[in-house]
């Protein structure tokens, strides 16, 4: 079985970038939609991107934003992957591909409550899916698991999110066989990224390879 990739989402301080450079997850995520606890500005994202190790893929998380805004982050080299966390449909994805000159991977998030949500997710024309809990106040980053037994017959590689941490990483992998695990709130103490929790999580996942 290929090694499970690791994504740490919601980096918002230079300390977080330093932690990532020491621990080297495969992906990190910047929240580039306004109004969320972990949102950052375009200026911060550009600065963080410069400081981040080039071996880590930079992902921008967007929620129902115009394609031109999303493409700007890609075309300016700030991010390499786009994560769509709103109501974006296949027409949106197609338009976004047409205006991203540098090319990028597109990750489409789906909030999973029942098997119908899995079926809907299977229809997205993205490169990767991100399966997250269907409950919670925000579009992701709520720290809540969903019923992982629903994850069946997925037709493309997917990131598994929703309350992921060192304590449930093994179970998540054994049940769902994801392409990657995506952790955010489980990597924090008092709302900020915690180096110890990040290290424990990454060490745990890589020990299963």
């Amino acid at each position: 079985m290929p090694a499970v990739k690791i994504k740490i989402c919601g980096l918002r301080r230079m300390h977080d970038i330093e932690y990532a450079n020491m621990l080297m997850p495969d992906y990190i995520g910047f929240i580039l939609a306004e109004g969320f606890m972990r949102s950052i500005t375009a200026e911060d994202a550009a600065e963080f991107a410069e400081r981040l190790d080039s071996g880590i893929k930079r992902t921008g998380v967007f929620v129902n934003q115009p394609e031109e805004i999303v493409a700007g982050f890609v075309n300016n080299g700030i991010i390499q992957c786009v994560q769509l966390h709103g109501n974006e449909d296949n027409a949106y994805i197609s338009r976004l591909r047409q205006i991203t000159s540098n090319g990028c991977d597109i990750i489409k998030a789906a909030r999973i409550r029942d098997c119908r949500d899995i079926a809907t997710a299977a229809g997205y024309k993205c490169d990767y899916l991100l399966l997250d809990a269907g409950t919670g106040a925000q579009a992701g980053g709520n720290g809540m698991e969903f019923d992982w037994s629903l994850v069946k017959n997925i037709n493309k590689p997917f990131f598994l999110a929703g309350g992921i941490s060192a304590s449930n990483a093994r179970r998540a992998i054994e049940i769902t066989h994801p392409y990657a695990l995506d952790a955010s709130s489980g990597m924090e103490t008092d709302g900020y990224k915690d180096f110890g929790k990040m290290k424990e999580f990454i060490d745990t996942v890589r020990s299963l390879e």
Side-chain angles (χ1 to χ4, degrees):
M1 178 186 294
V4 174
K5 305 295 185 184
I6 297 166
K7 177 169 171 277
I8 306 294
C9 202
L11 275 62
R12 56 185 171 132
R13 305 176 300 166
M14 194 59 74
H15 279 320
D16 302 340
I17 302 301
E18 293 167 358
Y19 295 165
N21 287 342
M22 286 187 276
L23 297 172
M24 292 298 292
D26 302 286
Y27 296 79
I28 58 87
F30 298 142
I31 311 302
L32 297 172
E34 295 181 357
F36 296 91
M37 184 177 77
R38 303 175 185 88
S39 298
I40 63 171
T41 65
E43 291 75 18
D44 282 342
E47 183 179 2
F48 293 165
E50 284 189 3
R51 295 285 295 274
L52 187 73
D53 190 288
S54 62
I56 303 171
K57 289 189 177 180
R58 304 179 301 278
T59 303
V61 180
F62 302 90
V63 181
N64 300 326
Q65 289 153 271
E67 299 94 316
E68 292 79 8
I69 290 177
V70 177
F73 284 93
V74 177
N75 295 338
N76 289 331
I78 296 173
I79 60 171
Q80 300 152 299
C81 307
V82 168
Q83 182 175 318
L84 302 174
H85 236 291
N87 300 319
E88 303 88 359
D89 58 13
N90 283 333
Y92 180 106
I93 292 171
S94 178
R95 291 192 298 269
L96 181 60
R97 289 195 192 281
Q98 291 173 7
I99 59 175
T100 47
S101 59
N102 295 336
C104 68
D105 288 332
I106 296 177
I107 304 165
K108 179 66 181 86
R111 303 183 77 178
I112 307 301
R113 291 155 296 219
D114 54 41
C115 58
R116 290 172 296 181
D117 295 322
I118 293 288
T120 298
Y124 288 126
K125 295 180 179 180
C126 51
D127 299 294
Y128 301 92
L129 292 169
L130 184 142
L131 307 181
D132 202 352
T135 54
Q138 297 197 116
N142 294 294
M144 303 172 69
E145 288 185 29
F146 65 94
D147 182 358
W148 293 338
S149 69
L150 295 169
V151 181
K152 298 174 182 176
N153 303 317
I154 303 296
N155 62 346
K156 56 173 55 75
F158 64 91
F159 293 69
L160 184 72
I164 302 294
S165 68
S167 65
N168 61 10
R170 176 186 288 274
R171 180 165 58 89
I173 292 169
E174 290 175 347
I175 293 173
T176 68
H177 307 291
Y179 167 76
L181 292 180
D182 188 328
S184 182
S185 60
M187 303 294 97
E188 296 176 352
T189 299
D190 297 329
Y192 293 96
K193 291 293 182 281
D194 182 311
F195 178 82
K197 289 181 179 179
M198 290 171 63
K199 185 177 188 304
E200 182 184 14
F201 172 63
I202 291 172
D203 287 349
T204 297
V205 175
R206 290 190 171 148
S207 74
L208 303 175
E209 296 178 4

